[in-house]
Amino acid sequence: MKNTLLFGWLKNNMPYQIFESKKKSVKKVKNIALVDVGRTGDERQSNNENQYNLALGYLGAMLLKEGYNVLILQESPGVDDRENLLNTLVGFSPDLIGYSSFSYQFKGTLKFKKELEKRLNGKGVISILGGIHASMSPKNSAKYFDYLVFSEGEETLKELLLYLNKSIKKELNEIQGLYFLDHNRKLIFTGRRERIINLDKYGAPLRLHFDLPNSGMVTPIPDDVTGFAPITLSRGCIRACAFCTNKEMMGCGKKARVMRNPEDIAKEIKKLYNKHNVNYFYTHDEDYTYDEEFIDKLSDVLISYKKDKKFGQIYIAGMGSIASFYKNGKPNKPLIKKFAKAG
């Protein structure tokens, strides 16, 4: 297999894990790097650097299942040395690099990309940009990358890779969810892709870090917390706030919010609790407590797992509303008690 010895060296010497596919296949585009950089130094403007990028984790899970080798790099302040990041990527010998970027880190992402391309010595590595900046500012971004991915990336990236590996009978403009420049440098958008309904289709997201110093949040931390980890319970938001990108990227209203299967959530928590000593979970949801029925079902599953001693005391925090915990203008005491018992 390509780069087998190099993979072994990286696994033993670099603080970043390579997820090597067990599927034996011959693909022109096989080694996929997923990168989140530009949040440190002068570019650092977020209070969420300790929150590992689960979007890359979900993309990585899909790629691994589909037979690709995956390297995920996320630059963390005070932890990662940029020289190590660059050397790791060069050593991995990527065929395609997918960058994730908010607008505030876009300049830092381009700076990193330029430096990396110098070190790759002209190797034709395919570049993709995903995340909020790609979706909301495609005209500003397209000239720097081969492709931009709009909104959710799992199915779009999967189909694009099939196209690049000549394993699908589709034209590029038939792959929904893409922006690219045609031969006349005209920006092409292939159209919106249907929202992903089964968020657990490819399994739990790939994770790198299990020793985060904190949650990156402002919520009080109980004394018995032994470890932190981000978790996704749902995607999308019912609201249509003028300042938010969700309306444009995922729509709004009840149909825009997609919940995970409570049983799959409990299994993910169980693994993180028992294998990595994590008992504090902070959600990446826009409003994880909005849906009363979902919170009720999730609470039932978590209580069942605790009763069977599959895990002990856990904490779930994140951005949520009190909508589920009020009914007919009064506190929904049964649900409040049940949710408290689930934690």
Side-chain angles (χ1 to χ4, degrees), residues 21-236:
S21 174
K22 295 180 180 179
K23 292 184 178 181
K24 293 184 178 180
S25 60
V26 179
K27 295 177 179 177
K28 180 182 178 181
V29 182
K30 176 78 172 181
N31 292 348
I32 314 297
L34 302 174
V35 179
D36 181 341
V37 294
R39 299 191 186 210
T40 61
D42 295 335
E43 303 103 352
R44 186 183 178 190
Q45 298 175 21
S46 171
N47 66 343
N48 295 319
E49 277 84 359
N50 287 315
Q51 296 196 25
Y52 170 59
N53 190 333
L54 275 188
L56 297 187
Y58 274 99
L59 287 172
M62 177 278 293
L63 292 167
L64 191 64
K65 190 170 184 178
E66 294 299 312
Y68 300 92
N69 299 318
V70 184
L71 172 66
I72 301 178
L73 296 180
Q74 178 172 346
E75 190 170 42
S76 301
V79 176
D80 297 318
D81 179 87
R82 182 159 285 196
E83 191 70 18
N84 279 348
L85 289 171
L86 291 163
N87 289 337
T88 299
L89 276 165
V90 172
F92 179 59
S93 188
D95 301 307
L96 181 149
I97 301 176
Y99 295 88
S100 176
S101 179
F102 289 98
S103 293
Y104 74 81
Q105 70 186 103
F106 184 60
K107 287 184 179 179
T109 299
L110 292 180
K111 182 179 178 181
F112 182 92
K113 179 176 179 287
K114 185 177 181 180
E115 179 60 34
L116 176 62
E117 288 172 348
K118 287 181 182 178
R119 301 188 184 210
L120 289 171
N121 296 320
K123 180 186 176 184
V125 177
I126 300 163
S127 64
I128 296 178
L129 180 69
I132 288 176
H133 192 76
S135 296
M136 301 303 295
S137 301
K139 291 182 180 179
N140 170 263
S141 311
K143 63 183 178 181
Y144 301 106
F145 297 87
D146 295 307
Y147 308 99
L148 308 180
V149 173
F150 177 81
S151 192
E152 295 173 296
E154 288 94 329
E155 299 303 323
T156 300
L157 180 57
K158 176 182 174 180
E159 216 171 295
L160 176 61
L161 284 165
L162 289 173
Y163 168 83
L164 294 172
N165 282 310
K166 299 181 180 179
S167 301
I168 188 173
K169 293 182 179 179
K170 270 190 175 184
E171 297 297 325
L172 183 60
N173 59 13
E174 295 179 290
I175 300 174
Q176 292 180 316
L178 285 178
Y179 282 101
F180 64 91
L181 297 177
D182 67 8
H183 62 281
N184 292 318
R185 306 298 290 174
K186 178 183 177 182
L187 183 64
I188 304 296
F189 179 47
T190 59
R192 287 177 174 267
R193 182 177 288 273
E194 290 290 321
R195 289 289 309 282
I196 297 172
I197 301 302
N198 181 7
L199 301 181
D200 297 292
K201 179 178 179 179
Y202 299 107
L206 302 184
R207 295 173 182 269
L208 299 181
H209 306 295
F210 300 99
D211 57 350
L212 296 175
N214 58 65
S215 67
M217 301 176 68
V218 296
T219 50
I221 306 301
D223 292 336
D224 60 345
V225 168
T226 54
F228 300 89
I231 194 167
T232 292
L233 308 184
S234 65
R235 283 187 192 170

Side-chain angles (χ1 to χ4, degrees), residues 17 19 61 64 202-207 210 229 231 260 263-279 281 302 305 309-312 314:
Q17 183 174 352
F19 301 89
L64 191 64
Y202 299 107
L206 302 184
R207 295 173 182 269
F210 300 99
I231 194 167
R260 288 182 62 195
E263 187 69 34
D264 289 319
I265 293 170
K267 288 178 180 177
E268 186 176 0
I269 288 175
K270 175 189 172 185
K271 182 177 179 180
L272 291 168
Y273 182 95
N274 290 294
K275 189 174 181 180
H276 301 288
N277 207 30
V278 171
N279 65 349
F281 301 90
L302 295 178
Y305 268 62
K309 297 183 178 180
K310 294 180 180 179
F311 50 71
I314 62 170

